[in-house]
Amino acid sequence: MAIEELYNYYLGNSQISTDTRNITPGCIFFALKGDNFNANEFAVQAIEKGASYSIVDEVAHSINERCLLVDDVLTTLQDLARHHRMQLNIPVVGLTGSNGKTTSKELINAVLSERFKTFATFGNLNNHIGVPLSILAIKSDVEIAVIEMGANHQKEIEFLCSIVQPTHGIITNVGMAHLEGFGGFEGVKKGKAELYAYLKVANGYVFINRDNAFLMEMCASKHLNKLIYYGSENGNTIKGTLKTSDPFIEIDWTNHEESTSVKTNLTGSYNFENILSAICIGDFFDLSPAEINCGLANYVPKNNRSQLTKTEHNTVICDFYNANPSSMSAAIDNISVLTADKKIVILGDMFELGDESEAQHRLIAMQAVKSDPEKIILIGNSFYLFKDDFNAIFFKTPAEAVTYLQQNPIKDHLILLKGSRGMKLENLLQYL
């Protein structure tokens, strides 16, 4: 089936589903395949549950006119999203980076929504499946879209840009993330810079943190023309100064015409640059300082990223959605400067570090010890390698840590809880 023909089906049934547990009446079900599943087998079930059509790529499952046969379901989903994007005549901000992608996306969305009908990637649907789903969720009344793009290997951002077709772009930063797939830090820089390369060809705008030497180096190599700078020094379109981050961030900022300040609900000084990027993008799209500040002040993190949570007994910095050496180091630095009588650091393993894993886990363990909290708990096989090297409590699994917390209740502490998604450290929260 030609994409143009399928697009006509989409226009009449614009809800997309890839999971039979989330079928909505009239949606189109895309029967994706994975290492351990083949959704072609559920195509008829999806229709029985209310889907208008199922997109399949196996003849055996194309049993009636509502099971539409294509060569490859995933490629078709991506091509359909690309075709839909070409029909949208709106600014699209493409966003990537090693750390801060989702927080920056949420802040940019919060700011732009003060003036525009804005669409932003839901959650972190930022990969080769999530990005097409995000694009296909953009309705005709949307005025600006903010699309998050993640990557764990080179050429992935380049491919996602072919679908997103951003008119504007921002790389939050580059750090020690997905080193295994990228082939080291230089590979990370090269992979993230694919967004700059796309915007160079597309003659798009780039928002760039002038304080970040790596980003400036990457930007210079692409010879970009339309640059909008933000940072802490004079000469930027937006200049900001961190007033405090204990516990919540408050900043002063100016756009050369007006100076103002804003207090946010975010913790962690590392979020200063994420906030400044949202200010810069809001200013570019002609929002007033008052509108920008309103969007920032009203944003409350709820995604376990830099989220300060009061439990019955403690205050917990919930930052356990994901982790890499760069973000882990920043989180440890942050709790070190926060005011609290008693502090505990609980860290889980960092994944996808390849050959760098042992060295990076050792460095983070060392930093945690130097930060001198009352107690350090390190969880996971990678940290466990150093159980005889550092003055910390080690567990191989989160379940072992839960048993310890049940037997040794913690009260009246400020606690950092951070680790990679696969560690599922959220299971510890109820015991803190």
Side-chain angles (χ1 to χ4, degrees):
M1 175 174 288
I3 288 298
E4 292 78 10
E5 184 180 357
L6 181 58
Y7 191 64
N8 288 328
Y9 284 94
Y10 162 79
L11 291 176
N13 308 272
S14 61
Q15 294 293 319
I16 303 295
S17 176
T18 60
D19 189 336
T20 53
R21 295 169 296 183
N22 299 315
I23 297 295
T24 56
C27 72
I28 299 178
F29 175 70
F30 279 76
L32 297 172
K33 294 177 182 176
D35 293 337
N36 301 308
F37 67 90
N38 179 0
N40 278 266
E41 298 170 359
F42 306 107
V44 173
Q45 180 184 344
I47 291 173
E48 291 173 347
K49 284 189 169 185
S52 294
Y53 301 96
S54 286
I55 311 301
V56 299
D57 51 17
E58 294 180 356
V59 175
H61 297 286
S62 180
I63 63 174
N64 58 43
E65 69 281 357
R66 291 173 64 185
C67 293
L68 307 178
L69 183 65
V70 299
D71 290 333
D72 182 85
V73 172
L74 176 58
T75 300
T76 299
L77 177 69
Q78 294 164 342
D79 289 346
L80 184 65
R82 189 178 290 108
H83 185 78
H84 180 54
R85 169 64 185 96
M86 292 172 68
Q87 318 309 312
L88 300 171
N89 186 27
I90 59 172
V92 176
V93 180
L95 182 150
T96 191
S98 296
N99 301 303
K101 290 187 297 296
T102 301
T103 297
S104 294
K105 177 257 301 180
E106 294 292 346
L107 289 168
I108 294 165
N109 179 41
V111 167
L112 293 178
S113 294
E114 290 294 312
R115 173 81 64 88
F116 301 104
K117 173 71 173 179
T118 307
F119 174 88
T121 299
F122 179 74
N124 71 325
L125 290 174
N126 62 15
N127 65 4
H128 63 295
I129 297 172
V131 166
L133 291 174
S134 294
I135 293 295
L136 288 167
I138 301 176
K139 306 303 181 187
S140 59
D141 61 343
V142 168
E143 297 173 297
I144 296 181
V146 185
I147 304 296
E148 179 181 334
M149 297 181 289
N152 57 20
H153 59 268
Q154 292 177 35
K155 297 298 182 181
E156 192 168 5
I157 295 298
E158 178 183 279
F159 173 73
L160 294 178
C161 282
S162 77
I163 298 173
V164 175
Q165 300 168 37
T167 55
H168 303 70
I170 178 171
I171 301 174
T172 57
N173 51 52
V174 286
M176 305 289 281
H178 304 295
L179 298 179
E180 187 173 18
F182 279 113
F185 182 60
E186 289 303 314
V188 174
K189 290 163 60 180
K190 184 177 180 181
K192 297 301 182 182
E194 290 165 13
L195 175 57
Y196 289 163
Y198 178 91
L199 290 166
K200 169 65 176 178
V201 174
N203 197 32
Y205 290 89
V206 171
F207 304 98
I208 184 166
N209 179 4
R210 209 173 206 156
D211 297 342
N212 191 307
F214 293 128
L215 295 181
M216 293 296 289
E217 171 196 333
M218 292 156 56
C219 181
S221 70
K222 301 301 179 186
H223 307 290
L224 294 158
N225 299 318
K226 296 180 176 178
L227 292 166
I228 302 95
Y229 295 104
Y230 60 94
S232 59
E233 303 295 332
N234 292 324
N236 295 307
T237 299
I238 298 296
K239 175 190 174 183
T241 304
L242 180 64
K243 288 180 68 176
T244 182
S245 58
D246 188 7
F248 297 113
I249 296 176
E250 184 173 357
I251 72 170
D252 294 327
W253 66 273
T254 178
N255 61 0
H256 298 305
E257 295 179 359
E258 184 176 342
S259 296
T260 184
S261 64
V262 60
K263 185 174 183 179
T264 74
N265 295 293
L266 286 165
T267 188
S269 58
Y270 49 85
N271 275 308
F272 168 68
E273 60 191 43
N274 300 327
I275 295 167
L276 215 56
S277 71
I279 293 172
C280 186
I281 292 173
D283 180 78
F284 177 86
F285 286 106
D286 294 325
L287 271 73
S288 69
E291 288 174 313
I292 293 170
N293 286 350
C294 185
L296 293 173
N298 290 331
Y299 171 69
V300 178
K302 298 177 181 179
N303 49 20
N304 297 321
R305 294 172 172 88
S306 306
Q307 181 178 334
L308 203 65
T309 300
K310 296 278 189 179
T311 68
E312 183 179 354
H313 301 296
N314 301 286
T315 299
V316 183
I317 303 172
C318 295
D319 203 357
F320 46 76
Y321 189 86
N322 219 334
N324 57 55
S326 302
S327 65
M328 194 76 92
S329 177
I332 295 171
D333 283 343
N334 177 59
I335 194 173
S336 298
V337 300
L338 294 181
T339 302
D341 292 332
K342 298 183 290 184
K343 301 177 185 179
I344 291 178
V345 171
I346 304 176
L347 306 178
D349 277 357
M350 304 171 287
F351 296 166
E352 296 185 61
L353 296 180
D355 294 340
E356 289 287 323
S357 180
E358 184 173 341
Q360 293 300 325
H361 279 87
R362 177 180 286 278
L363 287 172
I364 291 300
M366 190 181 302
Q367 182 183 355
V369 170
K370 287 182 177 179
S371 71
D372 197 29
E374 180 181 291
K375 187 180 295 184
I376 300 168
I377 299 174
L378 301 177
I379 307 168
N381 291 324
S382 295
F383 276 127
Y384 200 78
L385 293 174
F386 311 111
K387 62 182 176 62
D388 298 323
D389 300 344
F390 297 104
N391 183 23
I393 301 169
F394 289 84
F395 299 106
K396 287 186 177 180
T397 68
E400 293 175 3
V402 165
T403 300
Y404 171 83
L405 293 173
Q406 289 175 316
Q407 297 172 351
N408 302 272
I410 297 172
K411 293 185 178 181
D412 303 320
H413 282 72
L414 174 65
I415 303 170
L416 170 63
L417 184 61
K418 187 169 180 63
S420 279
R421 179 87 292 276
M423 292 302 295
K424 298 182 179 179
L425 294 187
E426 64 272 15
N427 294 331
L428 275 64
L429 188 59
Q430 63 179 305
Y431 304 102
L432 298 173

